[in-house]
Amino acid sequence: MLMLCAFAVGTSEFIVVGVLPEVAADLDVTLPTAGLLVTAYAVSVAVGGPVLTVLTGRLPRRSLLIAVMVLALLAASACALAGDYTTLMAARMVAALSQGLFFAVASQVAVAAVPPEKQTAAIAKVVNGVALSTILGIPVGTLVGQNYGWRASFALVAALTLIGLIGVALGAPKVEHEPDAGVRASLFAFGKRTVLLGLLTTILSFTGMITAFTYVAPALRDVTGFSPAWVTGVLLVYGLGTMVGSTIAGRVRPGSIAKVLPIPLIGLTVLLLAQGFLLETKVTAVIAVFVLGAAAFASGPLLHTFLMGQAGSAAGLVASVNISAFNVAAALGPMIGGAVIAGGFGFQWIAAVGAVPTLLGVLVALVISRLVRRGAAPATEPNATTYAHA
């Protein structure tokens, strides 16, 4: 059920990437301006997610999940009906608020449903909902948008969100809810070096990935020479990569995350440095897009599970802040890519520029690994006792 909801909200976040040129043309804005629809969404999640998590900390989880999905449905419908850029931007920001709160609650419920050794796999399954959105939701939404207009893509998002809402209403179990530790107590978690370094790793590593991914559709058309229909197929390959990456991450025990984490981040950095060359031929471009998805979505569940384990009783708030950190990266990525385009350097240079923050993320991940290896930080599992089935 949580995977189904993650599929809906994941499609809502990134579906605009596949129809970015169509949105820009129809609303009479530049491509970098249209890219700000991704940025604004990310900023809304980054700021609103933790605030809403604190404000709703005492609400029953099942009722909260239903309310979140209702809000997401209303926002998706507003996107489909938007007649101008401002309305679309406002609707996207509301959708972002619902997503930020959803992933905070879903992460806690997921780790509470399984024994400690399977908590990474539980988080990975929720992330697989996002991966599935890239495999099916985004490519199909792109195809729908190219043939019936970009508003039809958001109508598809509304339909997926409605399915998720029905799944929550019918299938969400009642859970006994122990409220979070409170703002003051939770803030102590952010004094831990490993928590701060983990959040920094999320921002740095995903800034590079999203810098490349935001403009991947126009790059595949203008640089590689794919037709619009083939671009949809290549995005499907990207989605397959995300599913493979998150599945692999789910096999890592929480206590081994710090040691394993630098590996996918190094792979992501190498890929970003080489992507400009790989885009020159169709075969290598497809391989590059697959590896981009696999490396990024292998890193995500590892970071999320590790941070929740380090946070103790503040796992809910830290989970929300980590989603915010990801969306800070999602805000920075389009801005960096847009600056590269505005500077006249072309799509081939976007990923190489994005490799710089990702390389810094690798260095921070290595520091985390060293702290855990030397015993300066515990290799703990997320708190699984906060939620229990009634």
Side-chain angles (χ1 to χ4, degrees), residues 25-366:
D26 185 57
L27 299 182
D28 194 25
V29 296
T30 65
L31 189 62
T33 299
L36 291 177
L37 291 167
V38 181
T39 301
Y41 192 107
V43 171
S44 296
V45 175
V47 175
V51 173
L52 290 178
T53 299
V54 172
L55 293 178
T56 60
R58 296 185 178 276
L59 295 179
R61 300 296 94 180
R62 183 177 185 276
S63 298
L64 183 57
L65 278 173
I66 292 174
V68 167
M69 295 307 294
V70 169
L71 183 62
L73 175 60
L74 294 174
S77 300
C79 288
L81 298 173
D84 55 62
Y85 180 80
T86 301
T87 303
L88 179 59
M89 176 69 76
R92 291 276 295 167
M93 293 173 70
V94 174
L97 293 176
S98 64
Q99 177 183 330
L101 183 55
F102 166 77
F103 278 111
V105 177
S107 297
Q108 291 175 299
V109 174
V111 300
V114 296
E117 66 271 13
K118 294 185 178 180
Q119 288 172 347
T120 309
I123 294 294
K125 286 181 179 179
V126 177
V127 173
N128 273 345
V130 181
L132 186 62
S133 74
T134 62
I135 293 176
L136 296 177
I138 295 174
V140 171
T142 300
L143 185 62
V144 169
Q146 290 170 349
N147 287 277
Y148 300 102
W150 62 267
R151 288 182 180 82
S153 297
F154 285 102
L156 175 63
V157 171
L160 293 172
T161 306
L162 177 60
I163 295 173
L165 172 60
I166 294 172
V168 168
L170 297 179
K174 293 182 179 180
V175 293
E176 301 217 358
H177 175 221
E178 178 183 333
D180 288 337
V183 178
R184 180 175 297 180
S186 296
L187 289 177
F188 283 105
F190 295 94
K192 296 182 179 180
R193 286 182 295 175
T194 47
V195 171
L196 294 176
L197 291 174
L199 294 171
L200 181 60
T201 303
T202 296
I203 294 173
L204 291 172
S205 58
F206 281 97
T207 292
M209 187 280 288
I210 295 172
T211 297
F213 178 67
T214 301
Y215 297 95
V216 70
L220 289 169
R221 279 184 282 194
D222 294 352
V223 179
T224 313
F226 281 111
S227 66
W230 276 102
V231 169
T232 301
V234 177
L235 289 177
L236 185 66
V237 173
Y238 168 84
L240 179 61
T242 65
M243 183 68 78
V244 170
S246 61
T247 300
I248 293 173
R251 298 180 179 275
V252 179
R253 293 175 62 92
S256 302
I257 288 177
K259 179 175 63 176
V260 174
L261 179 61
I263 297 174
L265 294 180
I266 292 171
L268 179 60
T269 303
V270 173
L271 182 279
L272 291 175
L273 288 171
Q275 185 166 311
F277 300 101
L278 297 175
L279 287 173
E280 296 292 339
T281 68
K282 293 182 178 179
V283 173
T284 55
V286 171
I287 295 173
V289 170
F290 175 85
V291 176
L292 179 67
F297 275 72
S299 307
L302 297 179
L303 277 165
H304 202 67
T305 307
F306 175 78
L307 282 166
M308 291 182 69
Q310 296 294 307
S313 62
L317 182 58
V318 170
S320 179
V321 172
N322 189 49
I323 298 298
S324 298
F326 172 82
N327 282 278
V328 168
L332 293 173
M335 295 173 63
I336 294 173
V340 173
I341 296 173
F345 292 98
F347 292 113
Q348 297 97 320
W349 289 95
I350 292 178
V353 173
V356 176
T358 303
L359 176 60
L360 295 176
V362 171
L363 298 178
V364 177
L366 290 172

